[in-house]
Amino acid sequence: MAKHFIYWIPAICVATLISIFSTHYFSSAETSRILTPFLHWIFPAASPHTLRRMNTAIRKLAHITEFGVFSIALFHGVRGERNGWRWQWALATLLIAVSYAGLDEWHQSFVPMREARFRDVLIDSIGALLTQALVWGYARFHRPAAESVELSEKTTTT
């Protein structure tokens, strides 16, 4: 059991970070106190409306990024010590990620200065799905090289 647990440590760490990001310390009101002045410094001619929209876009990209990283960590846990890519592993990864996204939003419904939004679950899910597509592409395009090395080793030993 402990042997398999080690593969889940990255996913547990990322899930913990996601939960921390769901606190009131990372609410829109709190992060805009840092992001908006920074964006105003970079784009001094931007209107307050534009700065708010940029702040929202950055926050939604953060959702995609954090659930993309979570998706990779989950895939690592699901796959364990096995190699390669299987659709069953990706499906299990997506089910866990989407479930956690829903749980995260439900948690936010109890947090002051936060609110649960189904839209955020969809954004999180898109991040996990896009990342699993990248994981699939990485596995697909790196598999032929590994197989060719195995084939060349077999022919040199026979």
Side-chain angles (χ1 to χ4, degrees), residues 28 32 35-37 39-40 46-60:
S28 181
S32 67
L35 281 176
T36 303
L39 290 170
H40 182 65
S47 70
H49 175 72
T50 301
L51 292 172
R52 278 192 304 277
R53 291 189 69 146
M54 291 167 68
N55 182 42
T56 300
I58 289 169
R59 291 179 54 81
K60 298 314 169 191

PDB file of all heavy atoms in Angstrom, residues 28 32 35-37 39-40 46-60:
ATOM      1  N   SER A  28     -11.476  37.160  -5.305  1.00  0.00           N
ATOM      2  CA  SER A  28     -11.280  38.179  -6.335  1.00  0.00           C
ATOM      3  C   SER A  28     -10.939  39.532  -5.715  1.00  0.00           C
ATOM      4  O   SER A  28     -10.067  40.257  -6.204  1.00  0.00           O
ATOM      5  CB  SER A  28     -12.535  38.289  -7.199  1.00  0.00           C
ATOM      6  OG  SER A  28     -12.355  39.253  -8.200  1.00  0.00           O
ATOM      7  N   SER A  32      -7.307  41.094  -6.540  1.00  0.00           N
ATOM      8  CA  SER A  32      -7.343  42.318  -7.358  1.00  0.00           C
ATOM      9  C   SER A  32      -6.550  43.450  -6.697  1.00  0.00           C
ATOM     10  O   SER A  32      -6.102  44.363  -7.379  1.00  0.00           O
ATOM     11  CB  SER A  32      -8.776  42.751  -7.629  1.00  0.00           C
ATOM     12  OG  SER A  32      -9.409  43.164  -6.440  1.00  0.00           O
ATOM     13  N   LEU A  35      -3.195  42.369  -8.279  1.00  0.00           N
ATOM     14  CA  LEU A  35      -3.182  42.295  -9.744  1.00  0.00           C
ATOM     15  C   LEU A  35      -3.523  43.616 -10.419  1.00  0.00           C
ATOM     16  O   LEU A  35      -2.869  43.993 -11.399  1.00  0.00           O
ATOM     17  CB  LEU A  35      -4.157  41.219 -10.229  1.00  0.00           C
ATOM     18  CG  LEU A  35      -3.685  39.779 -10.151  1.00  0.00           C
ATOM     19  CD1 LEU A  35      -4.798  38.828 -10.585  1.00  0.00           C
ATOM     20  CD2 LEU A  35      -2.444  39.570 -10.988  1.00  0.00           C
ATOM     21  N   THR A  36      -4.541  44.301  -9.932  1.00  0.00           N
ATOM     22  CA  THR A  36      -4.979  45.522 -10.606  1.00  0.00           C
ATOM     23  C   THR A  36      -3.898  46.602 -10.636  1.00  0.00           C
ATOM     24  O   THR A  36      -3.630  47.158 -11.712  1.00  0.00           O
ATOM     25  CB  THR A  36      -6.297  46.042 -10.003  1.00  0.00           C
ATOM     26  OG1 THR A  36      -7.275  44.997 -10.101  1.00  0.00           O
ATOM     27  CG2 THR A  36      -6.790  47.268 -10.733  1.00  0.00           C
ATOM     28  N   PRO A  37      -3.224  46.905  -9.524  1.00  0.00           N
ATOM     29  CA  PRO A  37      -2.136  47.890  -9.617  1.00  0.00           C
ATOM     30  C   PRO A  37      -0.999  47.426 -10.541  1.00  0.00           C
ATOM     31  O   PRO A  37      -0.425  48.231 -11.274  1.00  0.00           O
ATOM     32  CB  PRO A  37      -1.634  48.025  -8.173  1.00  0.00           C
ATOM     33  CG  PRO A  37      -2.772  47.592  -7.327  1.00  0.00           C
ATOM     34  CD  PRO A  37      -3.491  46.541  -8.132  1.00  0.00           C
ATOM     35  N   LEU A  39      -1.316  45.403 -13.165  1.00  0.00           N
ATOM     36  CA  LEU A  39      -1.805  45.542 -14.540  1.00  0.00           C
ATOM     37  C   LEU A  39      -1.859  47.014 -14.950  1.00  0.00           C
ATOM     38  O   LEU A  39      -1.547  47.354 -16.093  1.00  0.00           O
ATOM     39  CB  LEU A  39      -3.187  44.892 -14.680  1.00  0.00           C
ATOM     40  CG  LEU A  39      -3.215  43.374 -14.588  1.00  0.00           C
ATOM     41  CD1 LEU A  39      -4.648  42.878 -14.489  1.00  0.00           C
ATOM     42  CD2 LEU A  39      -2.497  42.750 -15.780  1.00  0.00           C
ATOM     43  N   HIS A  40      -2.233  47.876 -14.026  1.00  0.00           N
ATOM     44  CA  HIS A  40      -2.267  49.313 -14.316  1.00  0.00           C
ATOM     45  C   HIS A  40      -0.855  49.841 -14.585  1.00  0.00           C
ATOM     46  O   HIS A  40      -0.660  50.710 -15.441  1.00  0.00           O
ATOM     47  CB  HIS A  40      -2.916  50.088 -13.165  1.00  0.00           C
ATOM     48  CG  HIS A  40      -3.032  51.548 -13.420  1.00  0.00           C
ATOM     49  ND1 HIS A  40      -3.831  52.065 -14.416  1.00  0.00           N
ATOM     50  CD2 HIS A  40      -2.436  52.610 -12.830  1.00  0.00           C
ATOM     51  CE1 HIS A  40      -3.722  53.373 -14.428  1.00  0.00           C
ATOM     52  NE2 HIS A  40      -2.872  53.741 -13.470  1.00  0.00           N
ATOM     53  N   ALA A  46      -5.081  51.669 -19.666  1.00  0.00           N
ATOM     54  CA  ALA A  46      -6.253  50.792 -19.578  1.00  0.00           C
ATOM     55  C   ALA A  46      -7.292  51.382 -18.638  1.00  0.00           C
ATOM     56  O   ALA A  46      -6.962  51.914 -17.579  1.00  0.00           O
ATOM     57  CB  ALA A  46      -5.838  49.410 -19.097  1.00  0.00           C
ATOM     58  N   SER A  47      -8.555  51.262 -19.036  1.00  0.00           N
ATOM     59  CA  SER A  47      -9.653  51.757 -18.207  1.00  0.00           C
ATOM     60  C   SER A  47      -9.866  50.809 -17.017  1.00  0.00           C
ATOM     61  O   SER A  47      -9.448  49.653 -17.063  1.00  0.00           O
ATOM     62  CB  SER A  47     -10.931  51.838 -19.033  1.00  0.00           C
ATOM     63  OG  SER A  47     -11.385  50.532 -19.341  1.00  0.00           O
ATOM     64  N   PRO A  48     -10.540  51.269 -15.972  1.00  0.00           N
ATOM     65  CA  PRO A  48     -10.847  50.379 -14.849  1.00  0.00           C
ATOM     66  C   PRO A  48     -11.630  49.135 -15.286  1.00  0.00           C
ATOM     67  O   PRO A  48     -11.399  48.040 -14.778  1.00  0.00           O
ATOM     68  CB  PRO A  48     -11.685  51.260 -13.910  1.00  0.00           C
ATOM     69  CG  PRO A  48     -11.216  52.645 -14.206  1.00  0.00           C
ATOM     70  CD  PRO A  48     -10.917  52.654 -15.683  1.00  0.00           C
ATOM     71  N   HIS A  49     -12.535  49.320 -16.239  1.00  0.00           N
ATOM     72  CA  HIS A  49     -13.297  48.178 -16.761  1.00  0.00           C
ATOM     73  C   HIS A  49     -12.361  47.159 -17.408  1.00  0.00           C
ATOM     74  O   HIS A  49     -12.487  45.953 -17.176  1.00  0.00           O
ATOM     75  CB  HIS A  49     -14.348  48.663 -17.764  1.00  0.00           C
ATOM     76  CG  HIS A  49     -15.087  47.551 -18.441  1.00  0.00           C
ATOM     77  ND1 HIS A  49     -16.017  46.789 -17.783  1.00  0.00           N
ATOM     78  CD2 HIS A  49     -15.004  47.067 -19.698  1.00  0.00           C
ATOM     79  CE1 HIS A  49     -16.492  45.875 -18.615  1.00  0.00           C
ATOM     80  NE2 HIS A  49     -15.894  46.029 -19.782  1.00  0.00           N
ATOM     81  N   THR A  50     -11.432  47.633 -18.210  1.00  0.00           N
ATOM     82  CA  THR A  50     -10.473  46.742 -18.877  1.00  0.00           C
ATOM     83  C   THR A  50      -9.597  46.039 -17.847  1.00  0.00           C
ATOM     84  O   THR A  50      -9.326  44.835 -17.973  1.00  0.00           O
ATOM     85  CB  THR A  50      -9.605  47.535 -19.874  1.00  0.00           C
ATOM     86  OG1 THR A  50     -10.459  48.138 -20.844  1.00  0.00           O
ATOM     87  CG2 THR A  50      -8.589  46.644 -20.565  1.00  0.00           C
ATOM     88  N   LEU A  51      -9.172  46.763 -16.842  1.00  0.00           N
ATOM     89  CA  LEU A  51      -8.349  46.158 -15.789  1.00  0.00           C
ATOM     90  C   LEU A  51      -9.120  45.071 -15.040  1.00  0.00           C
ATOM     91  O   LEU A  51      -8.558  44.014 -14.731  1.00  0.00           O
ATOM     92  CB  LEU A  51      -7.853  47.225 -14.819  1.00  0.00           C
ATOM     93  CG  LEU A  51      -6.840  48.227 -15.392  1.00  0.00           C
ATOM     94  CD1 LEU A  51      -6.585  49.350 -14.392  1.00  0.00           C
ATOM     95  CD2 LEU A  51      -5.542  47.531 -15.787  1.00  0.00           C
ATOM     96  N   ARG A  52     -10.411  45.288 -14.773  1.00  0.00           N
ATOM     97  CA  ARG A  52     -11.236  44.257 -14.124  1.00  0.00           C
ATOM     98  C   ARG A  52     -11.362  43.024 -15.000  1.00  0.00           C
ATOM     99  O   ARG A  52     -11.281  41.896 -14.519  1.00  0.00           O
ATOM    100  CB  ARG A  52     -12.624  44.809 -13.778  1.00  0.00           C
ATOM    101  CG  ARG A  52     -12.667  45.608 -12.496  1.00  0.00           C
ATOM    102  CD  ARG A  52     -14.097  45.879 -12.053  1.00  0.00           C
ATOM    103  NE  ARG A  52     -14.918  46.546 -13.050  1.00  0.00           N
ATOM    104  CZ  ARG A  52     -14.932  47.858 -13.258  1.00  0.00           C
ATOM    105  NH1 ARG A  52     -14.179  48.649 -12.525  1.00  0.00           N
ATOM    106  NH2 ARG A  52     -15.715  48.380 -14.176  1.00  0.00           N
ATOM    107  N   ARG A  53     -11.546  43.253 -16.296  1.00  0.00           N
ATOM    108  CA  ARG A  53     -11.668  42.116 -17.231  1.00  0.00           C
ATOM    109  C   ARG A  53     -10.356  41.342 -17.318  1.00  0.00           C
ATOM    110  O   ARG A  53     -10.352  40.118 -17.387  1.00  0.00           O
ATOM    111  CB  ARG A  53     -12.112  42.596 -18.602  1.00  0.00           C
ATOM    112  CG  ARG A  53     -13.551  43.101 -18.576  1.00  0.00           C
ATOM    113  CD  ARG A  53     -14.038  43.370 -19.925  1.00  0.00           C
ATOM    114  NE  ARG A  53     -14.160  42.074 -20.594  1.00  0.00           N
ATOM    115  CZ  ARG A  53     -15.081  41.797 -21.475  1.00  0.00           C
ATOM    116  NH1 ARG A  53     -15.954  42.700 -21.803  1.00  0.00           N
ATOM    117  NH2 ARG A  53     -15.120  40.628 -22.063  1.00  0.00           N
ATOM    118  N   MET A  54      -9.234  42.059 -17.318  1.00  0.00           N
ATOM    119  CA  MET A  54      -7.930  41.396 -17.340  1.00  0.00           C
ATOM    120  C   MET A  54      -7.712  40.603 -16.053  1.00  0.00           C
ATOM    121  O   MET A  54      -7.193  39.481 -16.096  1.00  0.00           O
ATOM    122  CB  MET A  54      -6.822  42.431 -17.546  1.00  0.00           C
ATOM    123  CG  MET A  54      -6.832  43.051 -18.931  1.00  0.00           C
ATOM    124  SD  MET A  54      -5.799  44.523 -19.081  1.00  0.00           S
ATOM    125  CE  MET A  54      -4.179  43.842 -18.914  1.00  0.00           C
ATOM    126  N   ASN A  55      -8.127  41.168 -14.938  1.00  0.00           N
ATOM    127  CA  ASN A  55      -8.026  40.475 -13.656  1.00  0.00           C
ATOM    128  C   ASN A  55      -8.841  39.180 -13.691  1.00  0.00           C
ATOM    129  O   ASN A  55      -8.363  38.119 -13.278  1.00  0.00           O
ATOM    130  CB  ASN A  55      -8.505  41.392 -12.528  1.00  0.00           C
ATOM    131  CG  ASN A  55      -8.383  40.761 -11.168  1.00  0.00           C
ATOM    132  OD1 ASN A  55      -7.392  40.112 -10.863  1.00  0.00           O
ATOM    133  ND2 ASN A  55      -9.393  40.953 -10.342  1.00  0.00           N
ATOM    134  N   THR A  56     -10.049  39.262 -14.210  1.00  0.00           N
ATOM    135  CA  THR A  56     -10.904  38.074 -14.322  1.00  0.00           C
ATOM    136  C   THR A  56     -10.269  37.043 -15.250  1.00  0.00           C
ATOM    137  O   THR A  56     -10.258  35.845 -14.939  1.00  0.00           O
ATOM    138  CB  THR A  56     -12.306  38.467 -14.836  1.00  0.00           C
ATOM    139  OG1 THR A  56     -12.890  39.382 -13.898  1.00  0.00           O
ATOM    140  CG2 THR A  56     -13.200  37.259 -15.002  1.00  0.00           C
ATOM    141  N   ALA A  57      -9.727  37.488 -16.373  1.00  0.00           N
ATOM    142  CA  ALA A  57      -9.092  36.560 -17.319  1.00  0.00           C
ATOM    143  C   ALA A  57      -7.904  35.846 -16.671  1.00  0.00           C
ATOM    144  O   ALA A  57      -7.735  34.635 -16.842  1.00  0.00           O
ATOM    145  CB  ALA A  57      -8.645  37.312 -18.573  1.00  0.00           C
ATOM    146  N   ILE A  58      -7.106  36.581 -15.930  1.00  0.00           N
ATOM    147  CA  ILE A  58      -5.956  35.973 -15.253  1.00  0.00           C
ATOM    148  C   ILE A  58      -6.429  34.945 -14.230  1.00  0.00           C
ATOM    149  O   ILE A  58      -5.866  33.845 -14.127  1.00  0.00           O
ATOM    150  CB  ILE A  58      -5.073  37.056 -14.587  1.00  0.00           C
ATOM    151  CG1 ILE A  58      -4.349  37.856 -15.669  1.00  0.00           C
ATOM    152  CG2 ILE A  58      -4.078  36.434 -13.603  1.00  0.00           C
ATOM    153  CD1 ILE A  58      -3.657  39.101 -15.167  1.00  0.00           C
ATOM    154  N   ARG A  59      -7.485  35.270 -13.503  1.00  0.00           N
ATOM    155  CA  ARG A  59      -8.016  34.325 -12.511  1.00  0.00           C
ATOM    156  C   ARG A  59      -8.556  33.057 -13.177  1.00  0.00           C
ATOM    157  O   ARG A  59      -8.360  31.958 -12.668  1.00  0.00           O
ATOM    158  CB  ARG A  59      -9.096  35.003 -11.663  1.00  0.00           C
ATOM    159  CG  ARG A  59      -8.531  36.076 -10.727  1.00  0.00           C
ATOM    160  CD  ARG A  59      -9.630  36.751  -9.927  1.00  0.00           C
ATOM    161  NE  ARG A  59     -10.467  35.808  -9.213  1.00  0.00           N
ATOM    162  CZ  ARG A  59     -10.147  35.253  -8.048  1.00  0.00           C
ATOM    163  NH1 ARG A  59      -8.991  35.527  -7.491  1.00  0.00           N
ATOM    164  NH2 ARG A  59     -10.980  34.411  -7.452  1.00  0.00           N
ATOM    165  N   LYS A  60      -9.208  33.201 -14.320  1.00  0.00           N
ATOM    166  CA  LYS A  60      -9.746  32.022 -15.010  1.00  0.00           C
ATOM    167  C   LYS A  60      -8.614  31.196 -15.634  1.00  0.00           C
ATOM    168  O   LYS A  60      -8.673  29.965 -15.650  1.00  0.00           O
ATOM    169  CB  LYS A  60     -10.783  32.420 -16.064  1.00  0.00           C
ATOM    170  CG  LYS A  60     -12.007  33.120 -15.483  1.00  0.00           C
ATOM    171  CD  LYS A  60     -12.548  32.422 -14.256  1.00  0.00           C
ATOM    172  CE  LYS A  60     -13.582  33.250 -13.531  1.00  0.00           C
ATOM    173  NZ  LYS A  60     -13.938  32.717 -12.226  1.00  0.00           N
TER     174      LYS A  60
END
